[in-house]
Amino acid sequence: MKVVMIRHFQTPGNLERRYVGRTDEPLLEGEGLIRMAEEKRNRIQTLGKPDCVIASPMKRCIQTANLLFPGEKLLLCAKMRECDFGLFEGKNYEELKDLPAYQEWLDSRGTIPFPEGESHEAFKARCVEGFAEMAAELVEKRCETAAMVVHGGTIMAVLSRFDRGDSEFYNWQAENGGGYVISLDEAAWGRGQKEFREIERL
């Protein structure tokens, strides 16, 4: 089974390099969005029409999914939404750099929880659990190809967990509209051997 994991298209917050997690902002509209949607849609079509399209319930993911897979019914997975950045939510580096809590978080290399938000480990565990639940459903439905329109953090959490190698979270960054094509063995997955056979950049 192939699973195409796609990061949503750009939002105003992404453009301004803000921490956009629980904020349910829409996509940044314009000619660039239309052009990118067409380009990505053509690329994804070469992989075959997905039997199932899964998305985070956030507006930016639903809108992206509707642009890439018009008319397809979406299966929403709340566990695969982006991290809650707590006090940092909606702000960028310039607005946070003088905040002691932000400096403390930077000094920890992102290992301590976001103040009033999620911890890195809790976020990763939630995303991995959500992916596993969706994968089980895809296997049960005997899907050959599926698509997941989610967040950059979600992709990093899932791939760093199920990659065969000893990969780091930040090794799997994806630009807006980018992502990865994952192959997994349904029979092995069903037996509890939960790992990806192949991963290639979209």
Side-chain angles (χ1 to χ4, degrees):
M1 179 171 65
K2 288 192 181 297
V3 181
V4 187
M5 292 195 79
I6 307 154
R7 184 184 177 193
H8 62 80
F9 294 139
Q10 195 173 55
T11 68
N14 294 150
L15 183 66
E16 296 171 0
R17 303 183 69 82
R18 298 182 181 279
Y19 288 90
V20 182
R22 67 174 182 266
T23 304
D24 200 13
E25 68 175 9
L27 297 178
L28 183 67
E29 304 221 349
E31 289 184 14
L33 173 62
I34 296 167
R35 189 166 54 249
M36 176 174 268
E38 185 176 349
E39 176 189 316
K40 293 295 178 180
R41 192 163 54 241
N42 291 339
R43 167 72 179 100
I44 292 165
Q45 282 175 352
T46 66
L47 302 170
K49 185 177 183 293
D51 300 309
C52 184
V53 180
I54 295 164
S56 156
M58 308 302 281
K59 284 178 188 173
R60 52 196 184 271
C61 293
I62 292 173
Q63 289 177 331
T64 300
N66 287 335
L67 286 167
L68 292 174
F69 309 102
E72 290 292 326
K73 183 179 179 181
L74 305 180
L75 177 60
L76 302 183
C77 179
K79 288 181 181 177
M80 297 180 78
R81 67 191 186 280
E82 184 57 283
C83 185
D84 181 347
F85 296 116
L87 287 178
F88 306 160
E89 183 72 30
K91 298 180 175 63
N92 58 26
Y93 174 79
E94 287 301 315
E95 295 166 340
L96 290 168
K97 63 183 181 182
D98 297 323
L99 189 69
Y102 185 60
Q103 283 301 325
E104 184 183 0
W105 181 80
L106 288 178
D107 291 342
S108 79
R109 296 186 178 182
T111 57
I112 63 174
F114 291 99
E116 298 181 24
E118 272 185 293
S119 73
H120 191 60
E121 293 309 313
F123 164 67
K124 288 195 297 183
R126 168 168 62 75
C127 291
V128 165
E129 185 177 342
F131 180 90
E133 289 175 3
M134 292 297 100
E137 190 162 337
L138 295 174
V139 169
E140 187 178 334
K141 291 180 176 179
R142 300 189 178 184
C143 295
E144 293 183 7
T145 304
M148 293 184 175
V149 184
V150 290
H151 309 269
T154 308
I155 292 172
M156 291 189 282
V158 171
L159 268 62
S160 62
R161 166 61 181 82
F162 294 117
D163 174 43
R164 281 181 171 182
D166 184 20
S167 62
E168 294 291 326
F169 180 81
Y170 291 105
N171 288 353
W172 300 106
Q173 294 184 63
E175 71 279 7
N176 290 108
Y180 296 88
V181 183
I182 296 155
S183 298
L184 62 84
D185 184 319
E186 301 99 302
W189 190 274
R191 291 194 301 269
Q193 297 173 10
K194 292 181 167 48
E195 62 180 17
F196 297 148
R197 295 181 63 185
E198 294 179 8
I199 302 172
E200 59 179 304
R201 193 172 283 276
L202 180 62

